[in-house]
Amino acid sequence: MAATFPAAMTTSIRLHVRAPLAAGAAVDCGTAQSRYLRTVMRRSTGDAVLLFNGEDGEWQATIETAARDSMRLICRRRTRPQDVAPDVWLAFALLKRDATDLAVRQATELGVARIMPVLTDHGQAARVNTDRLLAIIIEAAEQSERLTLPALSPPVTLTDLLAAWPGDRQLLAAIERLGSRALPAMVGPPCGLLVGPEGGFSARERAQLLRHPAVRALSLGSCVLRAETAIVAGLAQLLCSGTDDGTAAPLPSSAGDR
Amino acid sequence: MAATFPAAMTTSIRLHVRAPLAAGAAVDCGTAQSRYLRTVMRRSTGDAVLLFNGEDGEWQATIETAARDSMRLICRRRTRPQDVAPDVWLAFALLKRDATDLAVRQATELGVARIMPVLTDHGQAARVNTDRLLAIIIEAAEQSERLTLPALSPPVTLTDLLAAWPGDRQLLAAIERLGSRALPAMVGPPCGLLVGPEGGFSARERAQLLRHPAVRALSLGSCVLRAETAIVAGLAQLLCSGTDDGTAAPLPSSAGDR
């Protein structure tokens, strides 16, 4: 079946690296990436890999030397210029581990610029495994063809989040059963989405939110969503709708595989 | 901690039943629901439970008799009138089991009217466990406060899906890298969302989509989304945006817990 996949599915390995990228630059991969390339993806000397570091765009590099635990790659040509993630932040009450992992992965895929775990009165977790979340972020960025990594903030209480929230940035809060109207068309970056825990915000927290000048209510429809669903649904409204001219978008009369 | 939850969190058990619901009507719960109420939720004679059947609205019922494997409930008062799910269908290529389960659960939460598994050239599964998916649908409907269950169609090939697709219903197709514009503002129910498999549509399938009169391209932003993320992001655009008057939605000056 693999033979019928689009070419991009089988040949494009994208890796996030920390080294500067430029024509002719050498990039030394560490143990984990080298083993991934050699053992999992069966790549060896001469094969092409895409690299990005969040600053220098995306580069096609070739493997120059491949040892057991190290590989050296040489940047050949820039395949995409650097871009900037839309200035949308996600603040969410920590969930159970699997749900937190899912939220971090999907928020990264959707292109969020900053991920901010929040400690709330009814939260389901009080600690974050930063290393695991960073690994999830990097893998999601590699697979989703992002050129940046979202910043991961250390967990803060809702009180501290609101106290430090920038005055010029709307915070769209998905508050259950508040009966708000739909997202106004004018809302866009810079902004943030706030999603509470499964148990909802406490009365104290709701009062904090209601009196904060940056907070606006975000309606996500008539049903009660789980937190991880609300995160994706809310981000989709802030990140995917983009601009359009109000007309239908007919399909092009032909389209290549890429 | 439970004492500080909103009242609705601790008292509202919602069950989907097949019996007719009306004032004074008796509803006999089967073994599974009776054991859930008695053993998991610790409910017994006199306690209140919310019931819905997809036709008669939501009713508060009380437990009249509670035996080991059976319970009889009596409908007391209607708490919500029946509504109709927005006329949005989801057609998606079968994914791996966990991803399919997640998509079905989240689509139900978001309020979709019909769930249509599709067999594609690059799909990751060819069979559906209908009983498991129905159980996921019922649980998600109960938790999300829906009053309906989405219909679950048997799996069909993409060819058959397109051949039988109603002419008056737009089908928004999330096709990777097609470079379409954002979702036009005029798109709304009745419509459908089509999300392909992780491997993408085959060239043959893309040609089928491109020439089908009901198909429109749906852009979900610049990143490449996993199928299950695309499903939620696409449905959020079709189901959550609703109507708005283009103005900001300030929070009310006060809000109760419900």
Side-chain angles (χ1 to χ4, degrees):
Chain A
M1 184 192 278
T4 64
F5 273 30
M9 297 298 301
T10 50
T11 62
S12 290
I13 299 173
R14 288 181 87 245
L15 291 183
H16 177 262
V17 296
R18 299 192 179 280
L21 302 176
V27 177
D28 291 313
C29 285
T31 305
Q33 285 186 328
S34 299
R35 288 187 179 176
Y36 169 77
L37 286 173
R38 200 176 61 84
T39 308
V40 181
M41 303 308 292
R42 308 273 177 189
R43 294 304 200 272
S44 59
T45 310
D47 287 339
V49 175
L50 295 174
L51 304 179
F52 68 107
N53 63 5
E55 294 179 0
D56 301 322
E58 182 184 78
W59 288 77
Q60 188 180 71
T62 53
I63 300 174
E64 189 178 56
T65 61
R68 186 168 183 282
D69 290 340
S70 68
M71 278 196 182
R72 167 163 288 200
L73 291 84
I74 305 292
C75 291
R76 300 299 176 186
R77 64 182 183 90
R78 196 169 74 165
T79 48
R80 291 161 66 198
Q82 184 61 43
D83 61 15
V84 178
D87 194 4
V88 174
W89 297 356
L90 168 67
F92 72 104
L94 280 170
L95 306 166
K96 289 176 185 168
R97 175 175 154 159
D98 286 353
T100 294
D101 291 355
L102 179 68
V104 167
R105 171 167 76 75
Q106 295 191 313
T108 303
E109 286 177 53
L110 287 164
V112 79
R114 179 174 291 277
I115 296 174
M116 315 172 84
V118 181
L119 305 172
T120 59
D121 290 344
H122 299 159
Q124 294 170 290
R127 267 180 294 189
V128 170
N129 183 331
T130 302
D131 289 343
R132 195 183 71 244
L133 294 188
L134 282 175
I136 290 169
I137 284 172
I138 290 172
E139 185 179 341
E142 289 173 344
Q143 294 184 351
S144 68
E145 304 190 3
R146 276 186 74 143
L147 290 177
T148 55
L149 299 186
L152 177 64
S153 301
V156 292
T157 65
L158 182 65
T159 300
D160 289 344
L161 178 86
L162 293 177
W165 193 263
D168 59 352
R169 180 180 293 267
Q170 284 200 332
L171 178 57
L172 286 303
I175 304 178
E176 281 180 10
R177 305 190 183 91
L178 201 58
S180 70
R181 285 172 295 174
L183 181 66
M186 65 175 61
V187 171
C191 63
L193 171 70
L194 173 65
V195 174
E198 293 296 341
F201 293 108
S202 69
R204 183 184 71 84
E205 291 168 337
R206 290 170 67 101
Q208 279 185 313
L209 291 171
L210 293 175
R211 67 171 174 260
H212 194 284
V215 173
R216 294 287 180 281
L218 171 64
S219 169
L220 293 173
S222 59
C223 294
V224 175
L225 304 181
R226 285 200 190 196
E228 62 268 36
T229 309
I231 288 169
V232 180
L235 289 180
Q237 297 218 46
L238 299 175
L239 285 162
C240 296
S241 55
T243 58
D244 69 78
D245 57 7
T247 60
L251 286 168
S253 55
S254 71
D257 265 344
R258 166 130 198 177
Chain B
M1 184 192 280
T4 63
F5 274 29
M9 297 297 301
T10 50
T11 63
S12 290
I13 299 174
R14 287 182 87 246
L15 292 182
H16 177 262
V17 295
R18 299 192 179 278
L21 302 176
V27 177
D28 290 312
C29 286
T31 305
Q33 286 185 328
S34 299
R35 288 188 178 174
Y36 168 77
L37 286 174
R38 200 177 59 86
T39 309
V40 181
M41 303 307 292
R42 308 272 177 190
R43 293 305 198 275
S44 59
T45 310
D47 287 339
V49 175
L50 295 174
L51 303 179
F52 69 106
N53 62 5
E55 293 179 0
D56 300 321
E58 183 184 77
W59 288 77
Q60 188 180 70
T62 52
I63 301 173
E64 189 179 56
T65 61
R68 186 169 182 279
D69 289 340
S70 69
M71 278 196 182
R72 166 162 288 199
L73 291 83
I74 304 293
C75 291
R76 300 300 178 185
R77 64 182 182 91
R78 196 169 74 166
T79 47
R80 291 161 66 198
Q82 184 61 43
D83 61 14
V84 178
D87 194 5
V88 174
W89 297 356
L90 168 67
F92 73 104
L94 281 170
L95 305 167
K96 290 177 184 169
R97 176 176 154 156
D98 286 353
T100 294
D101 291 354
L102 180 67
V104 167
R105 171 167 74 75
Q106 295 191 312
T108 303
E109 286 176 55
L110 288 164
V112 79
R114 178 174 291 277
I115 296 174
M116 315 171 85
V118 181
L119 305 171
T120 59
D121 291 345
H122 299 159
Q124 294 170 291
R127 266 180 293 190
V128 169
N129 183 331
T130 302
D131 288 344
R132 195 183 71 244
L133 294 188
L134 282 176
I136 290 169
I137 284 172
I138 290 172
E139 185 179 342
E142 289 172 343
Q143 295 185 350
S144 68
E145 305 190 2
R146 276 185 74 141
L147 289 178
T148 56
L149 299 185
L152 176 64
S153 300
V156 292
T157 65
L158 183 64
T159 300
D160 289 344
L161 179 86
L162 294 177
W165 193 263
D168 59 352
R169 178 181 293 267
Q170 284 200 333
L171 179 57
L172 287 305
I175 304 178
E176 281 179 11
R177 305 191 183 88
L178 200 59
S180 70
R181 285 172 294 173
L183 181 66
M186 65 176 61
V187 171
C191 64
L193 171 70
L194 173 65
V195 174
E198 293 296 341
F201 292 108
S202 69
R204 182 184 72 83
E205 291 168 336
R206 291 169 65 101
Q208 279 184 312
L209 292 171
L210 294 174
R211 67 171 175 260
H212 194 285
V215 173
R216 295 286 180 280
L218 172 63
S219 169
L220 293 174
S222 59
C223 293
V224 175
L225 304 181
R226 286 199 189 197
E228 62 268 36
T229 310
I231 288 168
V232 180
L235 288 180
Q237 297 216 46
L238 299 176
L239 285 162
C240 297
S241 53
T243 57
D244 69 80
D245 57 7
T247 59
L251 287 168
S253 55
S254 70
D257 266 343
R258 166 132 199 180

